[in-house]
Amino acid sequence: MASSCQRCGAALNIGASSCPSCGAPVAPAAQPSNIISALCYLGFAITGIIFLLVEPYNRDEDVRFHARQSIALSVAWIAFSIVMGVLIAVLPGPLSHLFIMLNRLGDLALAILWLFLVYQGYIGNRFRVPVLADWADAVPF
Ligand SMILES: [Zn+2]
C-alpha cells in the first residue's frame, strides 16, 4: 500500500521521513503498513504483541492480521518444540534419534515458513497459513 503526504498529497517513498514535494514531516502513522507487517514477525510473538498494542499500528487491519499470525506461529513453534523434546526424552534410542532428525526438519520448515511470512507481510499480502490463520483469528485482542 503506497502512502501519500498529509499536506500536499504527493506519493511518499517507502520509509521516507519527509515529503519529497513539500518537505512536510511524515508522521509514523503514514509509514507504509507493509514494513510494519513484516516487522511483526521479526521478534515472533513479542513483536506480534507489541504491534497489537502500540498505536497507531494497532489500528491497521493488515498489521493486526500479521501480528496475530506471528503470535500463532510462535505458539505453534513452542508447542512443536515441547512435544518433540518430550518424545526425544521418552522414546528408546533408535526412535529417539528419528525424532531428533524430525525435530531438525521441523525447525527448518518453520524457519522457511517464518521467512516466507516476513516476505508476505512486506509485499502487503495477507497470506493465511492453514490452521495458523485460524489460531490467529482467535487471538482475543
Ligand atoms: Zn507534501
Side-chain angles (χ1 to χ4, degrees):
M1 191 187 78
S3 56
S4 54
C5 176
Q6 302 280 332
R7 189 196 287 171
C8 73
L12 296 172
N13 298 321
I14 288 174
S17 59
S18 64
C19 173
S21 176
C22 73
V26 176
Q31 290 292 332
S33 65
N34 62 325
I35 303 281
I36 306 299
S37 294
L39 286 178
C40 284
Y41 293 103
L42 281 191
F44 296 93
I46 294 166
T47 39
I49 290 167
I50 286 172
F51 286 117
L52 277 178
L53 296 178
V54 174
E55 297 205 13
Y57 311 110
N58 64 355
R59 289 196 294 266
D60 185 304
E61 279 308 313
D62 280 332
V63 170
R64 294 184 64 80
F65 170 77
H66 288 289
R68 289 200 207 95
Q69 190 157 256
S70 173
I71 294 169
L73 177 70
S74 305
V75 170
W77 204 329
I78 291 166
F80 173 75
S81 298
I82 291 172
V83 169
M84 294 309 263
V86 168
L87 287 173
I88 289 164
V90 163
L91 291 171
L95 270 177
S96 178
H97 285 124
L98 175 70
F99 276 92
I100 287 171
M101 221 174 65
L102 288 175
N103 189 27
R104 285 184 189 147
L105 284 175
D107 280 343
L108 183 67
L110 285 161
I112 291 168
L113 175 63
W114 173 82
L115 208 59
F116 173 77
L117 289 174
V118 171
Y119 179 69
Q120 293 302 311
Y122 182 71
I123 64 172
N125 181 25
R126 281 197 218 180
F127 183 89
R128 293 181 64 85
V129 180
V131 183
L132 280 192
D134 296 331
W135 293 10
D137 293 341
V139 174
F141 56 93

